Amino acid sequence: MRKQIAAANWKMNLTLQQGELLLDNILKNIAPIQKEQEVIFAVPFPYLPMALEKTKGHANVYIAAQNLSDKEAGAYTGEVSALMLRSLGVSHVLVGHSERREYFLEKDEILKAKVDIALAHELTVIFCCGEPLSIREKGKHNEFVQAQVEAALFHLTAKQLEHVVIAYEPIWAIGTGKTATAAQAQEIQAFIRQVIAGKYDAAVSSKISILYGGSVNAATAPELFAESDIDGGLVGGASLKADDFAAIVKALK
Ligand code: PGA
């Protein structure tokens, strides 16, 4: 079975002390994570060492950065490189979150470069895609998401793609309390898998974990995760509450 993943995205929330407390409470409340499952915490850059330290020895629990530079190294004030993340022991990185696309104007070209540099440094990429409401209302969401996936990922070899997790996150469902229905999410995620099978093959696409993100909470996770093409969730708001996130982890297949 492909990996089933509960990924927390703290975004720009919490103080260091609050983050420590949250991690302690979550780690206390989750059972040992099964072999085919992963729990990932995407925390703000300054909290990476703390999170790595706290999760040390917890099997199948990983720490992710929320972003990385598309450049190797050099005079790029304020940026954080793939090499820096690797040197800390970080294993995963988010690329292409809709907030990065919208507020920091990250376009396909830069996302493609970020995917490449992350993979070159052996970071697993959690690649986010998803349509705005206007596109969903026009019924063009499949084409929109297909174009995002093609632009940033389809130059990769099948071997490289094994180190990519896809997170489908409809923008209209992020932080709005408006979750896509399990049927809506399943439909487009099955479509994404089919697009990957078309470019690579069915064996490759069957191995790619595709997460759903957008107002996932303890109440909606079981129904979403029960769908055959939903391999877990990327969770923002509900990942900031220990009980909720622990319940989401428990809902993994
Ligand atoms: P949300 O955020 O769960 O708060 O909607 C999800 C995300 O943006 O990854």
Side-chain angles (χ1 to χ4, degrees), residues 43-107:
V43 307
F45 288 133
Y47 306 167
L48 288 168
M50 174 281 286
L52 285 160
E53 185 59 35
K54 281 215 181 287
T55 53
K56 207 188 262 171
H58 288 263
N60 306 314
V61 176
Y62 299 93
I63 299 304
Q66 297 175 9
N67 184 28
L68 83 169
S69 173
D70 61 317
K71 307 286 194 299
E72 248 335 301
Y76 302 103
T77 302
E79 288 292 275
V80 174
S81 72
L83 182 63
M84 291 173 185
L85 297 175
R86 281 302 295 175
S87 71
L88 286 173
V90 170
S91 54
H92 292 65
V93 63
L94 303 185
V95 174
H97 192 281
S98 63
E99 289 150 16
R100 301 287 325 165
R101 293 176 190 261
E102 186 179 347
Y103 307 137
F104 304 95
L105 310 179
E106 295 189 2
K107 303 278 176 249

Side-chain angles (χ1 to χ4, degrees), residues 58-231:
H58 288 263
N60 306 314
V61 176
Y62 299 93
I63 299 304
Q66 297 175 9
N67 184 28
L68 83 169
S69 173
D70 61 317
K71 307 286 194 299
E72 248 335 301
Y76 302 103
T77 302
E79 288 292 275
V80 174
S81 72
L83 182 63
M84 291 173 185
L85 297 175
R86 281 302 295 175
S87 71
L88 286 173
V90 170
S91 54
H92 292 65
V93 63
L94 303 185
V95 174
H97 192 281
S98 63
E99 289 150 16
R100 301 287 325 165
R101 293 176 190 261
E102 186 179 347
Y103 307 137
F104 304 95
L105 310 179
E106 295 189 2
K107 303 278 176 249
D108 290 335
E109 266 314 295
I110 210 162
L111 299 178
K112 186 177 168 192
K114 288 187 177 199
V115 166
D116 286 341
I117 208 154
L119 294 178
H121 288 275
E122 297 179 340
L123 289 161
T124 295
V125 170
I126 302 175
F127 177 76
C128 306
C129 56
E131 79 286 355
L133 186 60
S134 58
I135 298 286
R136 169 67 59 167
E137 283 172 347
K138 284 191 209 120
K140 298 269 186 238
H141 42 283
N142 282 3
E143 295 92 312
F144 186 91
V145 168
Q146 177 172 358
Q148 287 181 322
V149 170
E150 284 178 352
L153 300 181
F154 276 14
H155 62 291
L156 299 176
T157 64
K159 197 95 208 101
Q160 287 177 308
L161 199 68
E162 283 178 19
H163 302 284
V164 176
V165 171
I166 293 177
Y168 166 67
E169 300 203 296
I171 297 170
W172 46 273
I174 296 178
T176 57
K178 203 170 156 189
T179 320
T181 64
Q184 279 175 321
Q186 164 60 24
E187 189 186 9
I188 189 163
Q189 297 194 192
F191 171 76
I192 294 169
R193 198 177 304 286
Q194 186 192 314
V195 167
I196 295 168
K199 164 74 182 173
Y200 298 88
D201 60 41
V204 170
S205 81
S206 71
K207 280 191 250 162
I208 306 290
S209 299
I210 307 181
L211 316 184
Y212 168 78
S215 298
V216 175
N217 59 39
T220 56
E223 200 192 341
L224 286 160
F225 296 177
E227 295 289 345
S228 59
D229 287 293
I230 303 182
D231 306 311

